[in-house]
Amino acid sequence: MSRTCELTAKAVMSGNNVSHANNKSKRRFLPNLVNVTLISEALNQNVRLRISANALRSVEHRGGLDAFLAKADAKELSQRARLLKKQIAKKLAEQPAA
């Protein structure tokens, strides 16, 4: 499993540890990933995702998983999130017709 957020594509970054003597050694900056279960109101089901804490705040700010995915760019999403976005869009398109 890669260390990448499934919603925002936030991934591992590399950089240097710099000592007081200005010695540099390589290090990795890991994203703060958490396993969460989010509720999709359009699909009426729970969705388990591994997302960053920052993405979780963004989802809450935008009003839930459905609203976040509707506004998100498909290029940044994981394969599972793209599939969810399509399913949600299809379900929402069917609702006014019914």
Side-chain angles (χ1 to χ4, degrees):
M1 186 182 313
S2 65
R3 294 183 188 265
T4 305
C5 175
E6 293 184 334
L7 293 182
T8 61
K10 185 178 282 196
V12 176
M13 294 175 60
S14 63
N16 290 314
N17 276 332
V18 181
S19 70
H20 186 69
N22 206 27
N23 297 328
K24 296 172 182 71
S25 59
K26 282 293 186 188
R27 63 158 294 180
R28 293 167 34 143
F29 294 95
L30 301 177
N32 183 11
L33 296 178
V34 291
N35 294 316
V36 295
T37 303
L38 298 172
I39 300 169
S40 172
E41 295 170 1
L43 301 176
N44 291 326
Q45 66 182 8
N46 295 335
V47 180
R48 290 190 53 135
L49 295 170
R50 189 170 190 222
I51 63 175
S52 64
N54 188 9
L56 184 58
R57 291 186 60 188
S58 298
V59 168
E60 293 298 320
H61 178 74
R62 288 198 183 157
L65 181 63
D66 299 345
F68 181 88
L69 288 175
K71 200 169 185 182
D73 187 16
K75 288 182 263 180
E76 291 182 352
L77 300 175
S78 69
Q79 195 67 28
R80 257 183 80 208
R82 280 188 210 136
L83 179 65
L84 276 171
K85 181 175 178 163
K86 284 182 184 178
Q87 289 175 346
I88 290 170
K90 185 178 178 183
K91 195 74 159 181
L92 291 176
E94 291 173 358
Q95 281 182 348

